[in-house]
């Protein structure tokens, strides 16, 4: 019981001091603090209750745990540092799993996570953001660092992070690259990858005839396109001739 009281006291202190540390403008953090308080109250009541009363309290806790998981998941994306601070300690999480076994899957997980990374950059009109997805078995989770990400992080690196997972997101306190992806080789001969992007600008719109099939014909000829050209001139043929037939 002493251990339980210590864990609850620690969690309450974190809930009370976090606004002073990270500011009071984060509505998701405020919601999470409130849900933490509600859940800890129910946890204490469950420990004192028996039989039907205990079952009723567990039923009341189910929607609280569901809301809390969603709010913590959202907070990880908005403020990973707040999420790390407001997430429960590991020993209290173990106690809550015992108090609410039917909803234990809604609780966050603290620990070390490792997996292959998919690294994307999403560009917007006025900003851009990095998207880091880690593969954990069949689950793909987003990684959000409370500080700086490891230098040189790229797709296919194996990344190890310590933090908190809620749903499909992890708030990472730190991380390291345990295995780097092999650099893609490039040579003047052999199969070459080509990307063709059709873009309309505000000041210029492509003609209707400039579609995917037309671009395929320009790159690889009539044999690879439904858009037929009388001369069948195409880029692949030019490269073959310019390189003396070398692929």
């Amino acid at each position: 019981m002493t251990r339980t009281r210590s864990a609850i006291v620690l969690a309450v202190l974190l809930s009370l001091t976090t606004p002073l540390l990270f500011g009071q403008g984060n509505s998701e953090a405020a919601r999470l603090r409130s849900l933490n308080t509600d859940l800890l109250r129910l946890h204490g009541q469950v420990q004192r209750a028996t039989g039907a009363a205990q079952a009723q309290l567990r039923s009341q806790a189910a929607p609280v745990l569901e809301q809390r998981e969603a709010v913590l998941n959202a907070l990880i994306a908005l403020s990973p540092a707040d999420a790390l601070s407001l997430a429960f300690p590991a020993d209290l999480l173990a106690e809550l799993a015992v108090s609410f076994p039917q909803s234990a899957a809604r609780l966050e997980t603290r620990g070390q996570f490792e997996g292959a990374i998919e690294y994307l950059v999403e560009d917007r009109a006025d900003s851009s953001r990095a998207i880091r997805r880690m593969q954990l078995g069949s689950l793909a989770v987003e990684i959000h660092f409370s500080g700086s990400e490891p230098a040189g992080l790229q797709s296919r690196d194996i990344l190890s992070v310590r933090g908190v997972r809620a749903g499909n997101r992890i708030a990472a306190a730190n991380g390291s690259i345990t295995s780097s992806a092999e650099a893609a080789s490039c040579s003047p001969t052999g199969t070459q990858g080509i990307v063709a992007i059709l873009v309309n600008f505000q000041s210029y719109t492509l003609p209707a005839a400039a579609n995917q099939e037309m671009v395929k014909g320009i790159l690889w000829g009539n044999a690879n396109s439904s858009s037929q050209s009388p001369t069948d001139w195409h880029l692949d043929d030019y490269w073959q001739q310019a390189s003396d037939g070398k692929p």
Side-chain angles (χ1 to χ4, degrees):
M1 184 63 69
T2 300
R3 182 180 176 187
T4 299
R5 288 176 179 170
S6 298
I8 293 176
V9 169
L10 175 59
V12 171
L13 286 174
L14 285 173
S15 297
L16 293 174
T17 57
T18 297
L20 299 176
L21 295 174
F22 297 100
Q24 301 179 6
N26 192 325
S27 61
E28 293 301 307
R31 289 182 63 197
L32 184 57
R33 283 191 294 273
S34 177
L35 290 166
N36 282 354
T37 301
D38 291 343
L39 187 58
L40 291 173
R41 174 179 52 79
L42 290 166
H43 174 50
Q45 292 174 349
V46 164
Q47 290 186 315
R48 295 188 296 271
T50 58
Q54 196 174 64
Q56 185 178 9
L57 287 166
R58 285 172 172 161
S59 179
Q60 292 176 22
V64 175
L65 282 157
E66 183 178 358
Q67 291 177 47
R68 184 178 176 276
E69 180 188 32
V71 172
L72 179 56
N73 179 274
L75 184 59
I76 288 174
L78 294 170
S79 178
D82 280 354
L84 286 166
S85 177
L86 288 169
F88 288 139
D91 56 349
L92 179 55
L93 288 169
E95 293 177 8
L96 290 169
V98 173
S99 290
F100 310 109
Q102 295 88 349
S103 303
R106 299 287 189 183
L107 293 166
E108 64 267 31
T109 304
R110 281 190 178 270
Q112 197 79 21
F113 306 92
E114 182 174 290
I117 286 293
E118 178 188 26
Y119 197 111
L120 306 172
V121 176
E122 181 183 89
D123 287 323
R124 301 176 182 178
D126 57 351
S127 64
S128 65
R129 71 181 183 108
I131 302 173
R132 316 166 196 84
R133 294 195 183 100
M134 176 184 288
Q135 198 66 36
L136 296 176
S138 60
L139 179 66
V141 297
E142 292 182 8
I143 307 296
H144 297 267
F145 288 97
S146 60
S148 300
E149 67 178 40
L153 183 64
Q154 59 182 327
S155 287
R156 297 184 294 121
D157 282 350
I158 304 299
L159 178 68
S160 177
V161 299
R162 181 176 61 83
V164 171
R165 181 180 75 83
N168 65 343
R169 289 177 175 144
I170 291 176
N174 55 46
S176 61
I177 300 170
T178 60
S179 177
S180 296
E182 295 182 4
S185 59
C186 183
S187 66
T189 60
T191 302
Q192 305 292 322
I194 296 176
V195 176
I197 302 176
L198 301 177
V199 178
N200 287 319
F201 296 95
Q202 292 182 345
S203 59
Y204 178 79
T205 301
L206 292 171
N211 53 34
Q212 291 183 6
E213 290 302 314
M214 177 182 178
V215 174
K216 286 182 182 178
I218 293 171
L219 293 174
W220 298 293
N222 289 347
N224 296 282
S225 172
S226 61
S227 177
Q228 302 293 293
S229 167
T231 57
D232 197 20
W233 292 343
H234 52 90
L235 192 58
D236 181 58
D237 181 57
Y238 167 77
W239 278 340
Q240 295 284 352
Q241 294 182 45
S243 62
D244 295 326
K246 294 179 182 179

